[in-house]
Amino acid sequence: MRIDVVTIFPAFFDVLEVSLMGRARGAGILDVRVHDLRDFTHDRHRTVDDTPYGGGAGMVMKPEPWGEVLDAIASDATSPLHFVFPSPAGRVFSQSTARAWADSGEHFVFGCGRYEGIDERVFAYAATLGTVSLTSLGDYVLNGGEVAAMAMIEAVGRLVPGVVGNPESLVEESHEDGLLEYPSYTKPAAWRGYDVPEVLLSGHHGRVAEWRHDQQVERTRTRRPDLLSD
Ligand code: ADE
C-alpha cells in the first residue's frame, strides 16, 4: 500500500520506522513517503503561512506550496488518489473507516495542516485529483494533523495483509465486531491474590467462547453503551 504524507514537521513520522510498521516498510508491504511542505516553497524563508483574509487570530497555510506538492504526488500516483486532511472539523475516524481504507486499493495522501488550517481552495483543488476526506480523530483539538495522521496510518496500515503477523489477532480485537475486546490473562494462574477466572483454566472451548462473548457484551454495555444503541 502506498501512503504519502505532507507536513512541515517530517520528524513526527520517524516513529514509522519502529515496530510492526517499520518492519512492514522494510518488507515493502507499506510504502510510506514523507514530504516536507517547505520544499515546495520558493522564497528565502520557505514561507508556508500567511494572515487570514477577513481578519482573525492565527495564520492560514498558503495554497501555492500545497498545489505544488499535490501535483508532484499526483504525477507519481500508483492507483486512484485519496487525500485525507486530518481536521477536528471532519467526520470522525473509526475502525470501519480504517477497514474501508485498507481494502480500497487507493493511494493515500495525508495532508497535515498546522496553524488555523489550510486555505479552503486546496481541498477543492485536491478534489480534481482524487477523493478528498476531512477526517477527525475525535472531539478534541490537537496542534496539527500530524499526530492524527500517524494514528490513522497505523490503524489502516495494520489491516494491510502481512503487516500483523497473526491475522487472527485482527479478528478478535475491540471494535472489529462492534464490541469491546474480552479480558486476557496469562501465567501465573494466581498472582498477588488475584486469580485467573476458573473457566479459562477448564480447557472447555465452548464455555470459554461463551464466557468471552458475555464479557464483551458486559464491558460494552458498561463502558461504551453508545456502541450498542446503533
Ligand atoms: N487536527 C487538530 N485536531 C485534530 C483532530 N482532533 N483530529 C484530526 N486532526 C486534527
Side-chain angles (χ1 to χ4, degrees):
M1 177 182 222
R2 170 75 178 273
I3 298 175
D4 287 78
V5 179
V6 181
T7 174
I8 58 168
F9 295 117
F12 268 102
F13 298 89
D14 287 354
V15 292
L16 285 169
E17 278 156 35
V18 178
S19 185
L20 291 180
M21 298 297 281
R23 208 191 53 188
R25 286 178 89 185
I29 302 169
L30 293 178
D31 179 0
V32 186
R33 304 186 193 185
V34 181
H35 309 267
D36 186 341
L37 183 67
R38 292 192 197 277
D39 291 344
F40 297 83
T41 59
H42 302 286
D43 64 310
R44 206 156 49 89
H45 302 291
R46 314 214 317 149
T47 310
V48 292
D49 63 326
D50 207 334
T51 53
Y53 275 121
M59 300 288 269
V60 175
M61 293 187 108
K62 295 162 62 60
E64 302 97 316
W66 279 103
E68 292 202 21
V69 70
L70 298 187
D71 285 344
I73 293 168
S75 71
D76 182 34
T78 55
S79 37
L81 287 163
H82 190 149
F83 298 93
V84 179
F85 293 97
S87 163
R91 283 177 192 265
V92 178
F93 184 80
S94 68
Q95 188 65 22
S96 58
T97 318
R99 178 59 72 187
W101 289 0
D103 292 344
S104 70
E106 292 172 314
H107 173 166
F108 281 87
V109 182
F110 287 85
C112 303
R114 282 264 145 182
Y115 315 113
E116 293 308 304
I118 303 173
D119 187 303
E120 191 72 17
R121 292 167 292 182
V122 171
F123 309 126
Y125 181 66
T128 68
L129 303 173
T131 305
V132 174
S133 298
L134 266 68
T135 309
S136 172
L137 209 56
D139 293 336
Y140 44 83
V141 179
L142 304 167
N143 285 334
E146 283 79 5
V147 168
M150 262 308 307
M152 293 187 242
I153 290 168
E154 181 162 313
V156 173
R158 65 192 296 283
L159 298 178
V160 173
V163 175
V164 171
N166 178 3
E168 272 180 39
S169 62
L170 298 177
V171 177
E172 291 197 350
E173 62 199 3
S174 291
H175 300 293
E176 272 296 330
D177 56 4
L179 296 172
L180 302 184
E181 198 174 16
Y182 53 75
S184 302
Y185 300 86
T186 186
K187 292 179 263 314
W191 175 73
R192 297 194 177 189
Y194 301 97
D195 291 339
V196 171
E198 191 61 40
V199 59
L200 298 178
L201 310 175
S202 69
H204 192 297
H205 296 302
R207 280 181 51 216
V208 169
E210 190 183 338
W211 180 84
R212 284 179 168 166
H213 186 260
D214 290 348
Q215 290 286 315
Q216 285 192 280
V217 172
E218 182 55 18
R219 283 188 154 192
T220 310
R221 193 182 63 75
T222 53
R223 296 180 189 175
R224 293 293 306 277
D226 56 301
L227 294 179
L228 296 174
S229 59
D230 49 43

